[in-house]
Amino acid sequence: MIKTIDFAILDFLQEFLRNPILDNIFCVITWLGNSGMIWICCGMIFLFFKKTRIMGISLLISLTIGFLIGEVWIKPMIGRTRPFYYHEMIELAIAAPESFSFPSGHSWSSFAGAVSIWLYHRRMGIVALILAVCIAFSRIYLYVHFPTDVLVGSICGVITAILVHFVIQWIIRKNKLRMEKQSYGN
């Protein structure tokens, strides 16, 4: 049932939306999400500035957790075949990914990165969330992920970023309390 809905969405997009102009646009957008590089670059840049350092740390930790859980553990364990293998007539606009399909690593890293930014800086986060949605959608448009791969990857990215954010905030509060106790003790 779910696979039928997945293919209905994929095939609808191929029939009614796909065209050379959008192919080029979504190839660039998906490239931005390759290996989470756009988000890694953002995280590294944020580390250089005191005002955004915690945001950068949160972003990079979220990406690392997403990679380890999604790419290293879940993808090989589930082993879901990518949709283009089922429809040999589909011409891919990008090189065929070699890893498994579920969950979408592009979606996981994009939403982990975007939500990490949004939790610390709302305006910048909105731009990041728009980019995350575009990257996630590009994976469906380009026929390299099922919609459920992208949905689960996106949800996992959001959850990862929120959990990391709360752990970091807890550590910061705990350290502030410890420092306050030490200053009162002297």
Side-chain angles (χ1 to χ4, degrees):
M1 166 96 172
I2 290 175
K3 198 177 261 188
T4 305
I5 295 168
D6 273 340
F7 277 119
I9 293 167
L10 288 169
D11 294 339
F12 176 84
L13 293 175
Q14 292 296 300
E15 187 173 340
F16 296 106
L17 193 61
R18 187 155 182 201
N19 66 67
I21 294 169
L22 287 178
D23 284 0
N24 289 329
I25 291 169
F26 283 118
C27 284
V28 170
I29 290 171
T30 213
W31 175 81
L32 290 173
N34 285 353
S35 302
M37 286 310 294
I38 188 79
W39 308 109
I40 292 169
C41 289
C42 287
M44 297 302 285
I45 291 167
F46 295 150
L47 291 178
F48 286 107
F49 305 98
K50 187 174 183 178
K51 190 174 181 178
T52 58
R53 191 165 294 140
I54 298 298
M55 180 170 59
I57 291 168
S58 181
L59 195 161
L60 293 171
I61 291 171
S62 295
L63 291 176
T64 302
I65 290 170
F67 172 76
L68 293 173
I69 295 173
E71 297 293 320
V72 175
W73 183 52
I74 295 175
K75 273 192 180 191
M77 182 178 69
I78 301 293
R80 187 177 196 187
T81 305
R82 291 187 180 264
F84 59 83
Y85 285 114
Y86 295 98
H87 290 271
E88 294 175 8
M89 300 301 286
I90 295 294
E91 285 187 40
L92 295 180
I94 60 170
E98 295 178 12
S99 65
F100 291 113
S101 190
F102 182 88
S104 166
H106 278 70
S107 301
W108 193 322
S109 65
S110 293
F111 277 90
V115 171
S116 293
I117 294 169
W118 184 82
L119 288 167
Y120 291 95
H121 192 286
R122 297 294 196 252
R123 244 186 258 154
M124 200 184 319
I126 290 170
V127 173
L129 285 167
I130 291 168
L131 178 58
V133 168
C134 290
I135 290 171
F137 180 76
S138 76
R139 306 305 284 170
I140 299 168
Y141 176 88
L142 294 169
Y143 220 90
V144 294
H145 276 293
F146 291 104
T148 49
D149 301 338
V150 168
L151 178 65
V152 171
S154 300
I155 291 168
C156 289
V158 169
I159 292 168
T160 303
I162 290 170
L163 290 175
V164 168
H165 173 77
F166 283 117
V167 169
I168 287 174
Q169 292 306 305
W170 177 79
I171 291 168
I172 290 170
R173 279 192 302 276
K174 187 175 176 181
N175 283 336
K176 280 183 182 178
L177 287 172
R178 185 175 50 84
M179 291 172 69
E180 286 174 8
K181 284 182 182 179
Q182 286 176 350
S183 67
Y184 287 129
N186 291 334

